[in-house]
Amino acid sequence: MALSVALLTSRADCDKVLNELSDIKGNLEFRQISLTRSKDNAADRASTIDADLAAAEAEVTSLIAIIAALPESATKTEMENRKVRADYRLFTLQQRKAQFGTTAVILYESELGEIEQRLSVIDGSMNDVTVRKAALPAG
C-alpha cells in the first residue's frame, strides 16, 4: 500500500511522521530481539522436554502394567501412588512442551516473520517520507 505522502506539505510534518515511524520501528526491533531470544531458549529446551516426556510416558505405561498384575496390598497402593505422581509429571511436561517446546518454537518463528514484514513496510514508509521531505522547499 502506497503512502499518501503528498499530504505532507512541510518538512516539519515529515519530521513528525519520521519520528513516529522511528519509535514504532524501535519498539518492533526490541520485540524482535526478545522473541528471537525466547525462540532460541525454546529450541534448546525442546529436545530435553521431548526426552523427558518419552521417559514419563514409558514410566506411566509400565506402572499401569505393574498395577494390573499386583494383588491388593501395600505394594499395589505404593505403585498406584507412584502412578499418580508420574501422571502429574507427564501433565506438567506436556504443559512445558506447549509453552517451551517445538510448538512454541514454531509460534515464535511465525511472530518473528510478522515483525520482519512490518519492519520492511516501516522502512519503505520512512524512505517514502524522506524522499518527500527532500522534495519540499526548506523553510
Side-chain angles (χ1 to χ4, degrees):
M1 180 176 108
L3 291 181
S4 303
V5 292
L7 297 174
L8 299 171
T9 57
S10 71
R11 288 178 170 246
D13 290 342
C14 293
D15 287 338
K16 287 179 190 175
V17 171
L18 286 171
N19 286 337
E20 287 295 321
L21 289 173
S22 180
D23 287 346
I24 293 168
K25 182 178 178 181
N27 289 335
L28 285 172
E29 288 171 338
F30 179 80
R31 180 75 178 138
Q32 184 180 37
I33 291 168
S34 175
L35 283 172
T36 299
R37 183 177 174 118
S38 295
K39 178 190 73 86
D40 292 345
N41 287 339
D44 290 343
R45 289 187 209 132
S47 61
T48 303
I49 291 171
D50 287 339
D52 290 346
L53 197 53
E57 288 169 345
E59 182 181 6
V60 168
T61 302
S62 68
L63 287 170
I64 290 170
I66 291 169
I67 291 168
L70 288 174
E72 292 299 325
S73 64
T75 303
K76 184 172 184 173
T77 303
E78 181 184 332
M79 290 298 134
E80 289 170 339
N81 290 338
R82 282 183 61 187
K83 184 184 173 298
V84 168
R85 287 190 300 273
D87 284 336
Y88 179 72
R89 182 168 178 255
L90 184 62
F91 170 77
T92 57
L93 285 168
Q94 290 166 339
Q95 296 298 311
R96 284 178 49 203
K97 181 175 180 173
Q99 188 175 9
F100 301 111
T102 52
T103 304
V105 172
I106 292 168
L107 294 176
Y108 285 132
E109 288 173 344
S110 174
E111 194 168 347
L112 281 166
E114 292 173 21
I115 288 174
E116 288 169 5
Q117 289 175 352
R118 288 182 66 196
L119 284 170
S120 176
V121 169
I122 288 172
D123 284 340
S125 298
M126 291 176 79
N127 185 51
D128 291 348
V129 173
T130 302
V131 168
R132 174 65 178 167
K133 180 180 175 182
L136 290 171

